[in-house]
Amino acid sequence: MQDEISLSRLDYAFARFITQLSVLDPEKAKKFNPIIAQLSYAQSQGHSCIELNTAEQGLVLASGMADDAGKCPLVLENKQLYLQRYWSYECQLAKKIADLIATERSIETPDTIIEQYFPVSMATDWQKNAAIRAVKDPFTIITGGPGTGKTTTVVKILALLQEFSKQPLNIALAAPTGKAAMRLQQSIGQSKRTLPCTDEIKQAIPEQVITLHRLLGARPPSPYFKYNNDNPLPFDIVVIDEVSMIDLPLMSKLLNALKNDTRLILLGDKDQLASVETGTVLADLTSALPEYTQELKKSYRFSGHIKTFADAVNQQREQDAWELLSQDHAQVCLLKDDLIDYITNKQVAYLQLISEGAEFTSCFVAFNAFQVLCATRQGVNSVDDINYHVAQKLKEKKLIQSSGEWYSGRPIMIVQNDPVLRLYNGDIGLCMPDTENGGQLMVFFIMPDGSIRKYMPARLSNCETVFAMTIHKSQGSEFNEVLLVLPESMNPILTKELIYTGITRAKESLKLTTNKTVFLETIRRRVERSGGLTNRIKKMI
């Protein structure tokens, strides 16, 4: 059992509630209670289930609160104990994938048309291989690191599918966050222009990318969506980017909302962090379905010391990674300057532009060129710690004038979806004078379609300052320069996937603040979550 110090009040309360509903006598109830508390804790840590020994299994079955068919609050299956809801999510997701794969497809793929998009090459063309399989298969996962051309490949796939179709296809493009949606939309627009096809084919490929919640028709504050098994999405093809960020419940609801004849294409980096919530969906799917997984292995823009460093971290070659980091290369190195002074100096460029009255887009580009990514939210070297001290230092240097929460130059991140304002968790904006409104402070955002929206600060209650953000929040983003800040001592959140994700946000240069002990131990650790999705899919296929 997990040390009880880790358990929350919610874990204790839930365990007490389930225990009171059980038919166990007081003596057995005392042993049953900590099992349920551990299950609640495990679920909050991203696990779908926990594994029980023989005695614990007997106790759970005797409680009257569990079965293996999903008719009780708990499900005990193959030594694994689930909350009924998460067991159902796994079952629904596995069955829907099996149904999609079983759907017949009969598309002729003439070599001449394939070669039109992918000229014959002596070397292995990973993008071409992925495209051929995606055209033939009803379900495809395309995975690969930064710069391997996932978006370029999927745009060519959509063009090929339209070439082979007798009528226009209804295509949906989506991503987990507004930030990821905006990046995908920009990439698709750029890739479409270079397609070797007619304008008619190009026009048939949509450019608008929306969030998954918007695609499914979120109905806040309820957990339900407009589109579901009874009211499926009307699309022929659905493409989802940044799938590593999607948790088990959301992926289950997405698949449940698809028609059985919908073609599904998932894009993502299987080596990145799993979702903050339950499950490791992308990793589980690639493990369970290798024949439906196409990995792009050649990077076209991610190279040099950053790529070498990322590969060493991803492959858990910790000594090689530390040696690379210690070489003091211009592209990858340890930060030798004072942390707060360095970050503060990096803010000068965009703050100067704001003070000069520059337009929002220029200010935002300057701000977004550099980003601090932290492993933790609280404590020394955390998001909260850095955001506070950088703001204080900027005040001391008179780079910002702050008499309250809002001031010109304040960068903020939305931390809770607000469909009314069309702002979503992870969206970043800048507070600055509105030259069209007498210099009144407004908060400006670039929307996924490239338009700019502005809001009065008082309307933005669910936001926080973002001189620094967590690595989790940075998923789906890229920055010219990244400063990766690790805590001074080990923390349960530190894993090689966390570091790899932070590294791969950097396009041109990367600096780290860490010590050797913490860095090496972090690289040795992997994300490990308990769940049965992989085996469940394998049994159904």
Side-chain angles (χ1 to χ4, degrees):
M1 287 295 171
Q2 177 75 24
D3 190 327
E4 291 192 0
I5 294 174
S6 300
L7 302 180
S8 69
R9 291 173 62 188
L10 179 61
D11 298 327
Y12 286 122
F14 178 74
R16 186 166 57 249
F17 172 71
I18 294 295
T19 302
Q20 288 171 348
L21 293 176
S22 75
V23 296
L24 297 171
D25 60 50
E27 191 63 32
K28 290 182 178 179
K30 288 181 181 178
K31 298 178 181 178
F32 176 73
N33 183 282
I35 296 174
I36 305 307
Q38 172 63 11
L39 176 61
S40 176
Y41 171 79
Q43 193 276 314
S44 72
Q45 300 303 302
H47 303 277
S48 301
C49 59
I50 59 174
E51 189 164 315
L52 305 183
N53 61 36
T54 303
E56 290 169 336
Q57 293 173 55
L59 191 60
V60 167
L61 289 175
S63 72
M65 299 302 294
D67 65 7
D68 62 357
K71 297 179 180 179
C72 293
L74 307 175
V75 176
L76 182 59
E77 181 184 66
N78 300 326
K79 301 181 182 180
Q80 294 176 322
L81 180 65
Y82 291 83
L83 295 175
Q84 190 273 344
R85 183 158 53 115
Y86 290 92
W87 177 83
S88 294
Y89 287 141
E90 275 194 7
C91 292
Q92 290 170 8
L93 179 53
K95 183 179 185 307
K96 192 66 181 188
I97 287 174
D99 290 343
L100 284 177
I101 289 173
T103 306
E104 290 293 328
R105 296 287 194 276
S106 55
I107 293 181
E108 294 291 331
T109 56
D111 289 344
T112 52
I113 297 181
I114 295 290
E115 289 170 7
Q116 177 181 324
Y117 290 86
F118 299 95
V120 176
S121 171
M122 295 299 291
T124 301
D125 191 333
W126 302 105
Q127 293 186 8
K128 179 180 179 180
N129 293 347
I132 292 172
R133 289 302 303 266
V135 168
K136 292 181 177 179
D137 294 337
F139 173 73
T140 307
I141 304 166
I142 299 177
T143 184
T148 50
K150 295 185 290 292
T151 304
T152 302
T153 303
V154 83
V155 168
K156 290 182 179 181
I157 290 168
L158 295 178
L160 284 167
L161 288 169
Q162 193 61 70
E163 295 259 21
F164 301 140
S165 176
K166 295 178 181 178
Q167 64 268 339
L169 296 169
N170 194 6
I171 302 169
L173 307 171
T177 66
K179 189 165 45 179
M182 183 163 58
R183 272 196 62 210
L184 178 60
Q185 184 162 302
Q186 292 167 346
S187 297
I188 285 177
Q190 294 168 0
S191 298
K192 273 179 62 174
R193 289 194 288 271
T194 62
L195 285 175
C197 61
T198 64
D199 288 341
E200 184 180 7
I201 295 294
K202 291 180 182 179
Q203 290 168 8
I205 301 172
E207 289 188 29
Q208 184 183 28
V209 183
I210 58 177
T211 63
L212 265 178
H213 283 79
R214 186 176 168 194
L215 174 72
L216 293 172
R219 290 176 166 172
S222 83
Y224 303 107
F225 294 97
K226 174 183 177 181
Y227 294 101
N228 50 48
N229 190 55
D230 297 323
N231 182 35
L233 290 161
F235 300 104
D236 302 307
I237 304 171
V238 173
V239 177
I240 309 295
D241 195 18
E242 296 289 354
V243 176
S244 63
M245 300 170 65
I246 303 176
D247 59 35
L248 174 63
L250 185 56
M251 182 62 84
S252 177
K253 291 174 182 179
L254 167 65
L255 270 288
N256 210 35
L258 299 182
K259 300 179 297 179
N260 280 346
D261 61 350
T262 298
R263 187 181 298 273
L264 179 63
I265 302 174
L266 303 180
L267 309 176
D269 185 345
K270 64 181 175 58
D271 297 315
Q272 276 191 33
L273 272 172
S275 68
V276 177
E277 305 298 334
T278 307
T280 52
V281 175
L282 181 58
D284 289 346
L285 292 179
T286 57
S287 176
L289 300 163
E291 66 273 37
Y292 292 94
T293 300
Q294 303 300 314
E295 183 173 2
L296 306 183
K297 300 180 181 181
K298 181 180 178 181
S299 182
Y300 294 88
R301 61 170 171 77
F302 190 62
S303 60
H305 281 69
I306 297 179
K307 185 179 188 304
T308 303
F309 185 55
D311 289 343
V313 168
N314 191 39
Q315 295 162 15
Q316 294 183 291
R317 294 184 283 111
E318 65 267 21
Q319 295 295 341
D320 290 345
W322 180 255
E323 184 177 339
L324 281 166
L325 189 58
S326 305
Q327 288 175 357
D328 201 26
H329 190 274
Q331 203 177 31
V332 177
C333 64
L334 289 165
L335 179 68
K336 293 184 172 58
D337 305 272
D338 176 82
L339 177 63
I340 301 302
D341 284 344
Y342 184 81
I343 298 170
T344 301
N345 291 335
K346 284 291 180 179
Q347 314 307 315
V348 172
Y350 90 89
L351 290 171
Q352 185 66 35
L353 285 173
I354 292 176
S355 68
E356 293 171 356
E359 61 175 353
F360 162 68
T361 303
S362 299
C363 300
F364 186 79
V365 168
F367 169 77
N368 210 47
F370 168 79
Q371 185 60 58
V372 181
L373 305 181
C374 300
T376 55
R377 175 163 292 281
Q378 297 177 324
V380 178
N381 286 355
S382 68
V383 166
D384 290 350
D385 183 43
I386 289 174
N387 280 330
Y388 173 78
H389 285 102
V390 169
Q392 293 300 114
K393 182 70 75 170
L394 289 171
K395 289 179 191 177
E396 290 175 15
K397 293 191 169 189
K398 301 191 185 312
L399 290 168
I400 60 173
Q401 304 296 323
S402 170
S403 57
E405 180 183 13
W406 292 99
Y407 51 86
S408 179
R410 183 190 179 196
I412 64 108
M413 174 185 283
I414 300 298
V415 295
Q416 186 173 323
N417 292 341
D418 191 335
V420 175
L421 297 181
R422 291 169 56 194
L423 294 174
Y424 297 90
N425 189 359
D427 288 350
I428 294 177
L430 284 181
C431 181
M432 53 189 289
D434 182 7
T435 56
E436 297 178 355
N437 195 19
Q440 179 179 345
L441 284 182
M442 300 289 283
V443 185
F444 293 77
F445 293 85
I446 296 180
M447 308 307 284
D449 62 1
S451 64
I452 296 172
R453 291 178 68 89
K454 57 187 177 184
Y455 303 86
M456 294 184 66
R459 299 187 69 189
L460 306 177
S461 56
N462 296 309
C463 65
E464 60 186 28
T465 302
V466 69
F467 292 116
M469 68 174 72
T470 62
I471 297 172
H472 272 98
K473 289 287 189 182
S474 74
Q475 286 181 273
S477 299
E478 283 186 332
F479 310 97
N480 290 343
E481 179 183 349
V482 165
L483 173 59
L484 193 55
V485 181
L486 302 188
E488 296 177 338
S489 58
M490 282 306 296
N491 183 297
I493 199 174
L494 295 176
T495 62
K496 70 101 171 174
E497 289 87 355
L498 186 81
I499 303 299
Y500 172 79
T501 301
I503 293 167
T504 54
R505 301 310 91 202
K507 291 196 291 185
E508 297 176 4
S509 68
L510 171 75
K511 290 182 172 61
L512 269 78
T513 295
T514 186
N515 61 62
K516 185 176 181 179
T517 301
V518 168
F519 180 81
L520 295 182
E521 181 59 28
T522 298
I523 306 308
R524 295 186 190 111
R525 296 170 59 181
R526 301 179 61 117
V527 170
E528 294 183 0
R529 290 183 174 178
S530 299
L533 182 60
T534 298
N535 290 332
R536 203 177 298 280
I537 292 173
K538 286 180 178 178
K539 288 179 181 178
M540 286 193 175
I541 301 300

